[in-house]
Amino acid sequence: MRTLEQLHFSNSYAGLPDTFHTRLRPTPLEGSRLLSFNPAAAALLDLDPAEAQRPEFTRYLSGAAPLPGSEPLAALYAGHQFGHYVPQLGDGRAILLGEVQNSRGERWEMQLKGAGLTPYSRQGDGRAVLRSSIREYLAGEAMHGLGIPTTRALCLFGSDEEVWRETLEKGALLVRLAPSHVRFGSFEVFYYRRQFEPLRRLTDYVIEHHYPQLGDEDDRYLALFREVTARTARLIALWQAVGFAHGVMNTDNMSILGLTLDYGPYAFLDDYDPGLICNHSDYQGRYAFDRQPAVAHWNLSRLGQALLPLLDGTPQAAAERANAVLGEYQEIYARHYHAAMAEKLGLRDTQPGDAALMGELLGLLAADHVDYTGFFRALGRCDSAAEAINVPLRDLFLQRDAYDRWAAAYTARLRAEQSDDAARRQAMDRVNPKYILRNYLAQQAISRAEQGDYDEIGRLLRLLQAPFDEHPDLAAYAAPPPDWGRRLTISCSS
Ligand code: AMP
Ligand code: MG
């Protein structure tokens, strides 16, 4: 266990040339105070959780004093936003402190989100508001608790600093962790500038540090593209299976490591609404829940294009090979999605009618606005000997006859594989969470925090880090939203 001064920094990104980033100091956030600390993330850094009690903790990590060993910088990137290329984005309010190497040999980048102006801030103020910082803090840990690749978060600071959004709000700062924050847009910026040497350097860097197993491949850049395609396909399959809508799948929010990155107006589905548009600025529904698999494919094609100058052979041959890799996406996505859905249904083997069984269920859930998470959790408790599954599941549906037909087919399917109810229930409870970060739960934590009560943040954090457990004292948190909490529109200002 290390103190803050003993963290083992090994800053590889800072070692890249100036083309990739700008070195700078965070701008201290006035009146910073620690609102929540996440011991699970501290463990990734080998950081002693008792360190959170020291006044230096807040000073170092809110940007008031330089953390020994850190080399702060803002990274350059670009990206396609809502389908349009924006030639320069970059960390407009996030500052990378450096990379901490833990005793397991892992490197974790520490990033301060909301740490002040950078050369990439454009019209922004370099700050993040409390509500969006709470949402990102909780979401990263909730996704991790669900077993979905994501950035993590060490802690959350509040402040007295006033920040203007639609109204006056308070600034906050999140300390985010990830092995790397490199995005698809980090490659695009050099591709569109026709700066192919930095493009190659970045790609070599990513391979060396994050995909070392690809270093010896014949065409290692193509191999990288294949690996990122596979990881992204898996990530999106997990999002779709758990019911997560990201809301802003711009290429600058797509991680080169296949992590869920940049939580804005995201939503976990309450009732199953495949067309859900959670970002209230997404007028066309480009990032609707059910469009995510196709959008990820489009984003991957932007990455593939950016890597083309590095691929072996003639431009035409390179493009053909990149396209062939892209062609693998759908199959990989479908494989992961079907496997995840089969697990949710408690099916052990694969049978020809399974896809239809899933499709019919999703159709019913959508038509009758059934709570997605609640349904699957309850399904784990059904009796496979019954011809159909009655109360309480049946009561969730309006179309009782259609539901009865589905339930009869499902229980028959379970009997066909001699499903053991007790074992199946256990297995289903490990993949069907009891708790998810419903928008109304996040909103409750935000409202209380805005009144100066931060306990709810910690309570949700602990609950969502173990979402498959029962937590009898917190069972009310599994409930579908009350009327006020349905279809909350989440502003994308943050
Ligand atoms: P996002 O939509 O949060 O992923 O942000 C898109 C781009 O805008 C990124 O380059 C951000 O760093 C930048 N950005 C967002 N909000 C701010 C802000 N308040 N100040 C400066 N830059 C920002
Ligand atoms: Mg972003």
Side-chain angles (χ1 to χ4, degrees), residues 65-283:
L67 175 63
S70 67
E71 296 175 77
L73 61 86
L76 170 73
Y77 54 83
H80 278 84
Q81 297 193 317
F82 291 90
H84 302 287
Y85 185 64
V86 182
Q88 192 187 295
L89 295 164
D91 290 330
R93 54 174 166 171
I95 293 181
L96 176 65
L97 285 189
E99 295 145 63
V100 170
Q101 198 155 16
N102 69 19
S103 50
R104 295 176 295 287
E106 302 161 350
R107 266 187 232 219
W108 286 90
E109 288 189 351
M110 291 179 84
Q111 205 190 53
L112 310 185
K113 190 165 177 181
L117 290 173
T118 81
Y120 315 112
S121 298
R122 298 179 296 153
Q123 314 305 319
D125 55 10
R127 294 304 188 195
V129 296
L130 182 60
R131 69 184 147 77
S132 68
S133 304
I134 293 173
R135 283 173 54 84
E136 175 149 13
Y137 181 66
L138 293 175
E141 293 308 295
M143 288 296 253
H144 180 69
L146 291 164
I148 300 178
T150 178
T151 59
R152 305 290 302 277
L154 176 67
C155 61
L156 175 69
F157 295 104
S159 81
D160 297 328
E161 204 165 302
E162 297 197 314
V163 177
W164 183 256
R165 293 293 180 263
E166 282 95 359
T167 117
L168 215 47
E169 299 191 47
K170 286 290 191 288
L173 190 149
L174 181 76
V175 181
R176 183 161 78 172
L177 307 180
S180 170
H181 289 82
V182 169
R183 305 127 193 281
F184 291 8
S186 313
F187 299 83
E188 290 179 285
V189 69
F190 297 124
Y191 170 78
Y192 287 97
R193 288 181 180 181
R194 296 281 175 248
Q195 294 180 339
F196 298 147
E197 267 325 298
L199 178 67
R200 184 182 302 276
R201 182 78 191 263
L202 176 69
T203 314
D204 283 335
Y205 168 87
V206 166
I207 293 173
E208 180 190 342
H209 289 276
H210 303 289
Y211 293 92
Q213 73 281 11
L214 305 181
D216 298 329
E217 298 260 338
D218 274 352
D219 194 344
R220 63 182 187 278
Y221 304 119
L222 188 72
L224 175 69
F225 184 48
R226 176 174 288 117
E227 191 61 34
V228 177
T229 297
R231 283 203 198 183
T232 305
R234 175 172 181 268
L235 176 71
I236 307 303
L238 297 178
W239 286 2
Q240 300 309 113
V242 84
F244 174 78
H246 181 285
V248 207
M249 288 176 69
N250 293 333
T251 56
D252 50 298
N253 292 336
M254 297 292 293
S255 152
I256 197 69
L257 301 184
L259 308 173
T260 313
L261 172 67
D262 276 7
Y263 293 92
Y266 66 85
F268 287 86
L269 300 185
D270 291 308
D271 59 299
Y272 184 68
D273 176 4
L276 180 77
I277 302 164
C278 60
N279 179 349
H280 88 159
S281 315
D282 183 6
Y283 309 112

Side-chain angles (χ1 to χ4, degrees), residues 236-244 269 272 289 333-350 354-363 365 372-373 375-376 379 406 410 413-414 424 427-428 431-433:
I236 307 303
L238 297 178
W239 286 2
Q240 300 309 113
V242 84
F244 174 78
L269 300 185
Y272 184 68
F289 174 72
Y333 167 78
R335 182 157 41 81
H336 285 292
Y337 181 70
H338 284 281
M341 293 308 289
E343 281 193 325
K344 287 181 78 65
L345 286 167
L347 306 179
R348 273 177 300 137
D349 57 21
T350 315
D354 289 351
L357 192 71
M358 286 172 204
E360 279 157 27
L361 173 62
L362 293 179
L365 294 176
Y372 186 71
T373 303
F375 173 82
F376 278 101
L379 190 66
W406 182 83
Y410 174 62
R413 171 68 182 79
L414 293 178
R424 181 172 46 79
M428 286 173 79
V431 295
N432 292 321

Side-chain angles (χ1 to χ4, degrees), residues 426-482:
Q426 269 195 3
M428 286 173 79
D429 278 359
R430 282 195 297 271
V431 295
N432 292 321
K434 174 150 180 170
Y435 303 97
I436 51 159
L437 181 54
R438 298 173 184 275
N439 265 339
Y440 86 91
L441 294 175
Q443 195 52 48
Q444 279 172 345
I446 291 166
S447 303
R448 293 199 199 169
E450 285 172 346
Q451 309 298 315
D453 170 6
Y454 308 109
D455 291 352
E456 189 66 9
I457 302 173
R459 197 172 301 118
L460 275 181
L461 184 75
R462 286 186 296 278
L463 179 71
L464 297 169
Q465 285 178 332
F468 302 107
D469 296 351
E470 281 296 326
H471 306 277
D473 51 324
L474 297 174
Y477 287 78

